[in-house]
């Protein structure tokens, strides 16, 4: 493997790690929060409609 290829691969790995960090730290918590909120709303609406 040439020096250039190694450097390119290392750069790709760093970018992948940055993306993974972003997803774990930024995206997932927000996603979980949104899904949680939506699920609560749906559950509440289902309960409300049962009592009517």
């Amino acid at each position: 493997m040439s020096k250039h290829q190694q450097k390119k691969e290392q750069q790709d790995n760093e970018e992948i790690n940055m993306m993974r960090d972003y997803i774990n730290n930024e995206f997932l918590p927000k996603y979980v929060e949104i899904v949680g909120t939506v699920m609560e709303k749906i559950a509440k609406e289902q309960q409300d409609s049962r009592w009517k």
Side-chain angles (χ1 to χ4, degrees):
M1 186 157 21
S2 72
K3 276 251 187 271
H4 179 73
Q5 267 181 309
Q6 276 182 325
K7 197 163 181 63
K8 172 93 179 83
E9 200 166 290
Q10 190 182 355
Q11 212 172 6
D12 287 350
N13 286 341
E14 281 171 14
E15 281 175 21
I16 289 166
N17 286 337
M18 277 173 62
M19 281 293 292
R20 194 177 293 141
D21 284 348
Y22 171 77
I23 289 168
N24 287 336
N25 298 327
E26 302 287 331
F27 177 75
L28 277 180
K30 282 195 181 83
Y31 179 77
V32 167
E33 199 178 315
I34 290 165
V35 170
T37 306
V38 169
M39 295 296 254
E40 273 177 35
K41 276 189 183 156
I42 291 169
K44 202 167 173 54
E45 279 171 20
Q46 284 178 343
Q47 276 183 338
D48 290 349
S49 65
R50 257 188 235 134
W51 294 115
K52 283 177 186 161

